[in-house]
Amino acid sequence: MRYAILAALLLASPAAAQSPQLEQACVAVAKNFLLAPVLKTGVVQSFPELDPPGARLTYTTREDAKPTDFTNEIECQFEKATAPFGLTRFCIEETCYSATEQQPENRRRYEEVKALMQRGK
């Protein structure tokens, strides 16, 4: 019995480290960037204990999504793991967006999404 409890605690540890708030913030980043009112998520992971804290997820904008449709990926980084999170960077597939990006268009898209996140949209 003692080993079963220990095993349950060890298996539950990764889930306990997850942050639904960070995950929802990253979903909001994706919705704002993609201009998608509905976004279905597949695998969602968050890392509140890392510096900087962040989340990543697979997603699709298809309404009739099948498990094989979740091939798009977004990764988000924030200033802190609690609200207000303060978006610092996000990457969709191979392209990243932040205040320090070399490409002016990517920097502009970051600023747009950050502004929308600060407004609570």
Side-chain angles (χ1 to χ4, degrees), residues 14-36:
Q18 295 286 98
S19 170
Q21 296 81 15
L22 275 178
E23 294 165 6
Q24 286 307 306
C26 196
V27 168
V29 169
K31 283 182 175 181
N32 283 315
F33 180 79
L34 298 168
L35 303 174

Side-chain angles (χ1 to χ4, degrees), residues 12-92:
S13 294
Q18 295 286 98
S19 170
Q21 296 81 15
L22 275 178
E23 294 165 6
Q24 286 307 306
C26 196
V27 168
V29 169
K31 283 182 175 181
N32 283 315
F33 180 79
L34 298 168
L35 303 174
V38 176
L39 191 78
K40 296 189 179 199
T41 59
V43 176
V44 181
Q45 301 172 329
S46 57
F47 307 95
E49 71 279 11
L50 295 182
D51 185 25
R56 68 177 175 203
L57 54 100
T58 59
Y59 68 89
T60 184
T61 56
R62 293 183 58 152
E63 289 194 27
D64 59 343
K66 296 174 180 37
T68 56
D69 293 332
F70 295 92
T71 57
N72 301 308
E73 186 175 323
I74 182 171
E75 176 185 338
C76 305
Q77 293 179 358
F78 302 96
E79 292 173 5
K80 56 185 186 166
T82 57
F85 301 101
L87 180 65
T88 58
R89 181 176 191 247
F90 67 96
C91 301
I92 294 187

